Amino acid sequence: QTVVTQEPSLTVSPGGTVTLTCASSTGAVTSGYYPNWFQQKPGQAPRALIYSTSNKHSWTPARFSGSLLGGKAALTLSGVQPEDEAEYYCLLYYGGAYVFGTGTKVTVL
Amino acid sequence: QITLKESGPTLVKPTQTLTLTCTFSGFSLSTSGVGVGWIRQPPGKALEWLALIYWDDDKRYSPSLKSRLTITKDTSKNQVVLTMTNMDPVDTATYYCAQARVYYDSSGLNRWFDPWGQGTLVTVSS
């Protein structure tokens, strides 16, 4: 069974920068996995932030960016705002099916 | 404006079959590149991708749950139905549906899931 692993939790100061990563148990993550990133706040449905590695939706704040980093998909938050405190999930494509990551809780402190 | 809404029972008994309906508006499931997927989230746990049906009736399932899942669409009613057999308490979760898109642009092929429905909590208990 394929496992997609993220950092369980990260803490960042307001205005700071934090990078979340998304690793696949099958090996290096490439653009062919079409990495997606989602933000979920308590009691809410997830909202898409990034698709196909680095593309932003029209509503995605400029401080969010996606990339590939060291064989993993990565989401970088630059100039973090208090409202960025949330759970973040990556989603990878495996030739038909998809698998979500384990999620990263980002705390802004 | 695209909206999706999940509906179905809030409580099912172990071994029963769960049937959930996703009713959507603002897009057509007969449009090329469009799909509807199902995702669930047990209380306090991570998201889990379940299934996806495309405009051309191509269906994809989570390998770990494939034997228990069936996804169908009714294009005329703007609905997608997910059935899950042999429900167990570990299947207690909020079940979401979301629009899926697959399309080409100048940067190549793109895939995404958005927007999502509000989700519906299904509890499995005797």
Side-chain angles (χ1 to χ4, degrees):
Chain A
Q1 182 174 342
T2 300
V3 178
V4 177
T5 303
Q6 301 179 240
E7 297 85 1
S9 64
L10 293 169
T11 300
V12 58
S13 299
T17 297
V18 64
T19 296
L20 292 62
T21 66
C22 174
S24 173
S25 63
T26 61
V29 176
T30 65
S31 60
Y33 287 79
Y34 303 97
N36 277 240
W37 290 91
F38 299 85
Q39 179 190 67
Q40 186 180 32
K41 296 183 177 180
Q44 297 182 16
R47 192 74 205 270
L49 292 173
I50 300 288
Y51 65 95
S52 297
T53 305
S54 58
N55 294 286
K56 299 177 187 181
H57 292 280
S58 59
W59 55 83
T60 303
R63 60 184 181 273
F64 291 87
S65 63
S67 63
L68 295 175
L69 197 64
K72 301 178 184 180
L75 175 70
T76 299
L77 287 66
S78 305
V80 170
Q81 302 296 306
E83 61 264 29
D84 297 334
E85 183 162 296
E87 192 84 22
Y88 292 84
Y89 293 95
C90 64
L91 177 68
L92 300 181
Y93 175 76
Y94 290 87
Y98 291 82
V99 179
F100 277 99
T102 51
T104 297
K105 168 63 177 173
V106 172
T107 300
V108 181
L109 203 57
Chain B
Q1 182 190 3
I2 293 174
T3 63
L4 303 95
K5 188 172 184 179
E6 307 85 355
S7 60
T10 58
L11 179 66
V12 297
K13 291 180 168 43
T15 75
Q16 286 186 336
T17 294
L18 171 68
T19 300
L20 294 173
T21 301
C22 177
T23 303
F24 55 87
S25 64
F27 68 96
S28 172
L29 204 37
S30 60
T31 300
S32 178
V34 174
V36 172
W38 284 94
I39 302 100
R40 72 178 179 180
Q41 185 172 39
K45 296 189 177 181
L47 299 169
E48 181 180 16
W49 186 86
L50 299 177
L52 170 60
I53 189 165
Y54 290 101
W55 78 99
D56 58 359
D57 211 37
D58 183 19
K59 301 169 186 177
R60 303 289 175 166
Y61 296 99
S62 166
S64 63
L65 291 168
K66 185 175 183 178
S67 63
R68 299 174 55 204
L69 295 174
T70 303
I71 190 169
T72 60
K73 64 180 175 69
D74 186 329
T75 305
S76 65
K77 292 183 178 179
N78 282 353
Q79 291 182 332
V80 170
V81 174
L82 181 75
T83 61
M84 180 179 290
T85 61
N86 194 25
M87 293 292 285
D88 183 272
V90 300
D91 297 313
T92 294
T94 295
Y95 287 75
Y96 297 97
C97 61
Q99 185 195 50
R101 294 293 310 277
V102 180
Y103 77 99
Y104 283 94
D105 65 10
S106 58
S107 65
L109 183 62
N110 295 284
R111 300 177 181 275
W112 79 61
F113 287 86
D114 197 82
W116 294 47
Q118 64 190 24
T120 185
L121 176 61
V122 178
T123 301
V124 184
S125 175
S126 54

